[in-house]
Amino acid sequence: MNPFELSHKALMCGNVVEKIEITNQLHNLKNKQLLNYQSKYHIDPVKFPGRPDKPTLARFGNMPKRGQSDIGFIETIHAICHIEFNAINLALDAAYRFRNMPDKFYQDWIQVAFEESQHFQLLNNYLIELGYQYGDFDAHNGLWKMTYETDYDVLARMALVPRVLEARGLDATPKIQKRFSKSTFKPMVGLLDIIFQDEIGHVKIGNFWFHHLCKVRKIDPIKTFDELVEKHIGEQLRGPFNLEARKMADFTDQELHYLQSR
């Protein structure tokens, strides 16, 4: 089977259930070693991946502040659910878009797509228990925006999406768990534990391929990362940083020093 065709099919599918079904199929074929990573398939820019009509996408700056009320906590659950939905597309795009990489690269990102789909289902199922579902609140599109902006080079993608945007989840999750632990939504603490452990692995995969590409291209990782941050973000990276989790995700001591001193 052609992994690029299947990844693209899942990526562009707007039906959530079908997207997850195709992602599961891709994952099963990967596990059975039935994917041909030498296959040919076209590469298209994807400004808008497949997504359902809801949630309505709003600008990040226009999103309302979420308070400590029950509905505020439910909006937070929905926001995390939306991040996990975007992360499915992010991983599928990495598996589809970048060619001439080792087979392990595609296997890694297919695995990530599968795990993100599991996270999405955990959160959406909890929303359903609470009488809501994915799409009931507005959401923003920041994670996909960076994915689209880095489609020109696998190095830029590995540098900025897993190592910056996804790694923010490692920084933020313990604080979010603390808030949920003091609320009537305590099951979120356990759900976030599952997601947090998997996300360490996802960031680790991004770190591995970023450093692999820097080595292949004979370029300095810190200098390259700094240049890409300036090009695409142009502002101070948001801290404080969860240094312990980032170490577990294979950030080097030099990289952690860079993050703290930038």
Side-chain angles (χ1 to χ4, degrees), residues 102-113:
D103 290 359
K104 184 69 166 60
F105 177 86
Y106 307 108
Q107 293 163 357
D108 280 348
W109 288 107
I110 290 168
Q111 182 68 33
V112 172

Side-chain angles (χ1 to χ4, degrees), residues 163-176:
R163 287 164 42 91
V164 175
L165 298 191
E166 289 197 272
R168 282 177 185 163
L170 303 185
D171 304 327
T173 297
K175 298 171 194 169
I176 296 170

Side-chain angles (χ1 to χ4, degrees), residues 30-49:
K30 185 265 294 184
N31 286 347
K32 293 175 181 176
Q33 300 182 336
L34 294 175
L35 295 173
N36 176 12
Y37 302 102
Q38 305 308 311
S39 303
K40 301 294 183 185
Y41 192 69
H42 62 82
I43 306 173
D44 291 329
V46 178
K47 190 168 186 179
F48 302 107

Side-chain angles (χ1 to χ4, degrees), residues 53-169:
D53 293 336
K54 296 285 187 178
T56 300
L57 296 183
R59 293 176 64 87
F60 181 75
N62 294 338
M63 295 294 292
K65 296 281 186 187
R66 293 186 288 269
Q68 299 296 310
S69 64
D70 281 1
I71 196 66
F73 279 109
I74 291 166
E75 286 175 343
T76 299
I77 298 166
H78 185 274
I80 300 168
C81 190
H82 179 66
I83 289 169
E84 298 303 320
F85 178 82
N86 269 293
I88 303 169
N89 283 334
L90 179 162
L92 289 169
D93 188 80
Y96 156 69
R97 177 162 312 285
F98 303 113
R99 307 295 161 82
N100 304 313
M101 293 292 287
D103 290 359
K104 184 69 166 60
F105 177 86
Y106 307 108
Q107 293 163 357
D108 280 348
W109 288 107
I110 290 168
Q111 182 68 33
V112 172
F114 171 74
E115 290 175 2
E116 302 291 17
S117 74
Q118 299 292 297
H119 299 166
F120 171 83
Q121 290 177 96
L122 284 173
L123 293 166
N124 194 39
N125 287 342
Y126 186 46
L127 280 172
I128 291 167
E129 282 181 35
L130 298 171
Y132 297 85
Q133 63 179 341
Y134 179 59
D136 282 351
F137 302 92
D138 289 356
H140 71 85
N141 209 31
L143 191 60
W144 183 259
K145 183 173 179 289
M146 181 63 78
T147 305
Y148 177 66
E149 288 178 2
T150 55
D151 68 2
Y152 66 94
D153 186 4
V154 62
L155 176 67
R157 174 71 62 82
M158 294 298 107
L160 297 179
V161 176
R163 287 164 42 91
V164 175
L165 298 191
E166 289 197 272
R168 282 177 185 163

Side-chain angles (χ1 to χ4, degrees), residues 66-68 73 76 80 167-183 185-186 188-189 192-193 196 237-246:
R66 293 186 288 269
Q68 299 296 310
F73 279 109
T76 299
I80 300 168
R168 282 177 185 163
L170 303 185
D171 304 327
T173 297
K175 298 171 194 169
I176 296 170
Q177 285 180 299
K178 190 172 182 180
R179 284 180 54 213
F180 276 115
S181 72
K182 297 174 181 176
S183 76
F185 304 96
K186 288 187 179 65
M188 274 298 292
V189 177
L192 287 171
D193 269 337
F196 184 75
L237 295 175
R238 273 191 279 169
F241 304 104
N242 185 339
L243 300 182
E244 182 181 350
R246 284 174 177 258

Side-chain angles (χ1 to χ4, degrees), residues 6-24:
L6 272 178
S7 297
H8 187 243
K9 184 179 178 183
L11 176 66
M12 300 310 295
C13 183
N15 181 288
V16 176
V17 173
E18 289 179 17
K19 184 187 290 286
I20 291 171
E21 285 176 352
I22 301 167
T23 301
N24 288 344

